[in-house]
Amino acid sequence: MSVNIAIGDKWVITSDPFQFILNEKKIAQSGKNAGNEWLNAVGYYPKINQLVSGLIHRELQQSAATSFAEMAAEIDRIGKACEQAFLTHAG
């Protein structure tokens, strides 16, 4: 069974028989596929909790957080987005 779970508008979790894959959604800018969405694999994880930690790490690196409170709020936001995506996928 293969996993395909969108996390918000930017991320998609997929899988193969060996791992979970964190993909970033991209839009082709040129060529015959210009304007089409594609998935760019950015991380490979043996466990889903490791993938979620990797997603949090990536989002925090790109955030504008300047305090621990802002970082905590960002982590909470990401956690809720994951929870919502997993609940939606399970139902």
Side-chain angles (χ1 to χ4, degrees), residues 50-61:
Q50 293 170 327
L51 181 143
V52 172
S53 293
L55 173 58
I56 290 169
H57 181 80
R58 287 182 177 280
E59 284 285 313
L60 285 177
Q61 283 183 322

Side-chain angles (χ1 to χ4, degrees), residues 37-54:
E37 184 178 277
W38 61 284
L39 298 179
N40 179 41
V42 296
Y44 300 87
Y45 304 90
K47 297 180 181 177
I48 195 71
N49 65 316
Q50 293 170 327
L51 181 143
V52 172
S53 293

